[in-house]
Amino acid sequence: TGASVQVDPQLAYITTAWWLEYATAAKLYNYPDKSGPAGSKLVPEVASKFTVGNGGKKYTFTIRKGFKFSDGTAVTANSFKYAINRTANHDLASPGAQFITDPTGTNIVGAKDVNDGKLNNVSGVQVKGNKLVVNLTKGDGTFMAKITMPFFQATSSKLPLTKEIVNVS
């Protein structure tokens, strides 16, 4: 047991787990498997594109069809909304919460309330068809780099919102 063997996508926070997750998990945007500067440029993965509005506070991601979880269930905009809700969840205590609740950095509207145990759903994240809309409390140029972290990968709603996954079948 311990951090070196955690398999829960919103809790694993060690290099070996992230190697596996960067290779296998579906993210909105990801870094290409290339060396040098080419490997540091974000490219679309499940999202086909994104737009930024409201003075840098509103990100709208268009989700492509065709991505599936290992059980065949489709990856949708709700899969990313669930990941954000799960990461922010007070009872799960994800180390990823700090990356979306920072009042001086990336702060998704309502994420702090969820992390404080006041709510279960981050109010600043909405799904409209194949669109994922993320509202920040203020513009943040580091948001795209943070949203590519494995904490925010597409997550099945079959995972419990408040409890760690310790067995994989």
Side-chain angles (χ1 to χ4, degrees):
T1 62
S4 64
V5 295
Q6 281 181 307
V7 295
D8 191 299
Q10 278 72 49
L11 293 173
Y13 194 31
I14 192 164
T15 305
T16 51
W18 277 25
W19 287 341
L20 179 63
E21 290 177 309
Y22 270 109
T24 61
K27 296 170 207 63
L28 293 165
Y29 272 65
N30 207 348
Y31 294 96
D33 191 16
K34 297 179 180 178
S35 62
S40 65
K41 181 182 178 193
L42 285 173
V43 295
E45 191 166 89
V46 177
S48 60
K49 66 179 182 175
F50 74 96
T51 59
V52 182
N54 193 22
K57 296 191 296 187
K58 180 179 179 180
Y59 285 74
T60 303
F61 298 91
T62 302
I63 307 300
R64 294 189 290 149
K65 292 181 181 179
F67 284 85
K68 297 184 185 290
F69 290 106
S70 60
D71 68 359
T73 306
V75 171
T76 66
N78 276 311
S79 307
F80 294 99
K81 178 179 179 179
Y82 191 72
I84 294 168
N85 281 326
R86 200 163 182 268
T87 299
N89 186 275
H90 175 268
D91 293 337
L92 189 62
S94 169
Q98 65 184 324
F99 298 105
I100 59 172
T101 61
D102 181 356
T104 62
T106 300
N107 190 6
I108 298 175
V109 173
K112 180 86 169 91
D113 287 337
V114 172
N115 196 243
D116 288 345
K118 297 175 185 173
L119 300 170
N120 285 328
N121 293 295
V122 177
S123 60
V125 180
Q126 293 99 32
V127 170
K128 299 175 182 176
N130 70 332
K131 308 269 190 217
L132 175 73
V133 180
V134 179
N135 292 285
L136 307 177
T137 59
K138 65 179 186 170
D140 177 23
T142 67
F143 173 70
M144 284 301 293
K146 290 174 185 168
I147 204 70
T148 66
M149 296 170 125
F151 302 120
F152 309 109
Q153 66 186 280
T155 301
S156 171
S157 61
K158 293 176 184 174
L159 273 65
L161 185 65
T162 62
K163 293 186 177 130
E164 177 181 5
I165 298 299
V166 293
N167 294 316
V168 179
S169 53

Coordinates of all heavy atoms in Angstrom, one line a residue, residues 27-29 43-50 61-64 67 80:
K27 N -7.1 12.8 -21.9 CA -7.1 14.1 -21.3 C -7.7 15.1 -22.4 O -7.7 14.8 -23.5 CB -5.8 14.6 -20.9 CG -5.2 13.7 -19.7 CD -3.8 14.0 -19.5 CE -3.1 12.8 -18.9 NZ -3.1 11.6 -19.7
L28 N -8.1 16.3 -21.9 CA -8.6 17.3 -22.9 C -7.5 17.6 -23.9 O -7.7 17.6 -25.1 CB -9.1 18.5 -22.1 CG -10.3 18.3 -21.3 CD1 -10.5 19.5 -20.3 CD2 -11.5 18.2 -22.1
Y29 N -6.4 18.0 -23.3 CA -5.2 18.3 -24.1 C -4.0 17.6 -23.4 O -4.1 17.2 -22.2 CB -4.9 19.8 -24.1 CG -5.5 20.6 -25.2 CD1 -6.9 20.7 -25.2 CD2 -4.8 21.2 -26.2 CE1 -7.6 21.3 -26.3 CE2 -5.4 21.9 -27.2 CZ -6.8 21.9 -27.3 OH -7.4 22.6 -28.3
V43 N -1.2 19.7 -27.2 CA -2.0 19.4 -28.4 C -3.3 18.8 -28.0 O -3.5 18.2 -26.9 CB -1.2 18.3 -29.3 CG1 0.1 19.0 -29.8 CG2 -0.9 17.1 -28.5
P44 N -4.4 18.9 -28.8 CA -5.7 18.4 -28.5 C -5.6 16.9 -28.4 O -4.9 16.2 -29.1 CB -6.5 18.8 -29.7 CG -5.8 19.8 -30.4 CD -4.3 19.6 -30.1
E45 N -6.4 16.3 -27.4 CA -6.5 14.9 -27.3 C -8.0 14.6 -27.4 O -8.5 14.3 -28.5 CB -5.9 14.4 -26.0 CG -5.8 12.9 -26.0 CD -4.9 12.4 -24.9 OE1 -5.4 12.2 -23.7 OE2 -3.7 12.2 -25.1
V46 N -8.7 14.6 -26.4 CA -10.2 14.4 -26.5 C -10.9 15.6 -26.9 O -11.9 15.5 -27.7 CB -10.8 13.8 -25.1 CG1 -12.3 13.6 -25.2 CG2 -10.1 12.5 -24.7
A47 N -10.4 16.8 -26.5 CA -11.0 18.0 -27.0 C -10.5 18.3 -28.4 O -9.3 18.0 -28.7 CB -10.6 19.2 -26.1
S48 N -11.3 18.7 -29.3 CA -10.8 19.1 -30.7 C -10.3 20.5 -30.7 O -9.5 20.8 -31.5 CB -12.0 18.9 -31.7 OG -13.1 19.7 -31.4
K49 N -10.8 21.3 -29.8 CA -10.4 22.7 -29.7 C -10.9 23.3 -28.4 O -11.7 22.7 -27.7 CB -11.0 23.5 -30.9 CG -12.5 23.7 -30.9 CD -13.0 24.5 -32.1 CE -14.5 24.6 -32.0 NZ -15.0 25.5 -33.0
F50 N -10.5 24.5 -28.1 CA -11.0 25.3 -27.0 C -11.0 26.7 -27.4 O -10.3 27.2 -28.2 CB -10.3 25.0 -25.7 CG -8.9 25.7 -25.6 CD1 -8.7 26.9 -25.0 CD2 -7.8 25.1 -26.1 CE1 -7.5 27.5 -24.9 CE2 -6.5 25.6 -26.1 CZ -6.4 26.9 -25.4
F61 N -14.4 23.9 -24.1 CA -13.8 22.8 -24.8 C -14.8 22.0 -25.6 O -15.9 21.7 -25.1 CB -13.1 21.8 -23.8 CG -12.0 22.4 -23.0 CD1 -12.3 23.0 -21.7 CD2 -10.7 22.4 -23.4 CE1 -11.3 23.5 -20.9 CE2 -9.7 23.0 -22.6 CZ -10.0 23.5 -21.4
T62 N -14.5 21.8 -26.9 CA -15.3 20.9 -27.7 C -14.8 19.5 -27.6 O -13.6 19.3 -28.0 CB -15.4 21.5 -29.2 OG1 -15.8 22.8 -29.1 CG2 -16.3 20.6 -30.0
I63 N -15.7 18.6 -27.2 CA -15.3 17.2 -27.0 C -15.6 16.4 -28.3 O -16.7 16.4 -28.8 CB -16.0 16.6 -25.8 CG1 -15.8 17.5 -24.6 CG2 -15.5 15.2 -25.5 CD1 -14.4 17.7 -24.1
R64 N -14.5 15.6 -28.7 CA -14.7 14.8 -29.9 C -15.4 13.4 -29.5 O -15.2 13.0 -28.4 CB -13.3 14.4 -30.5 CG -12.7 15.7 -31.1 CD -11.4 15.3 -31.9 NE -10.4 14.9 -31.0 CZ -9.5 14.0 -31.4 NH1 -9.5 13.4 -32.5 NH2 -8.5 13.6 -30.5
F67 N -13.9 8.4 -28.3 CA -13.1 8.0 -27.1 C -14.0 7.1 -26.2 O -15.1 7.5 -26.0 CB -12.5 9.1 -26.4 CG -11.3 9.8 -27.1 CD1 -11.5 10.7 -28.1 CD2 -10.0 9.4 -26.8 CE1 -10.5 11.3 -28.7 CE2 -9.0 9.9 -27.4 CZ -9.2 10.9 -28.4
F80 N -15.2 14.6 -17.9 CA -14.2 15.6 -17.4 C -14.8 16.4 -16.3 O -14.1 16.8 -15.3 CB -13.8 16.5 -18.5 CG -13.0 15.7 -19.6 CD1 -13.5 15.3 -20.7 CD2 -11.6 15.4 -19.3 CE1 -12.8 14.5 -21.6 CE2 -10.9 14.7 -20.2 CZ -11.5 14.2 -21.4

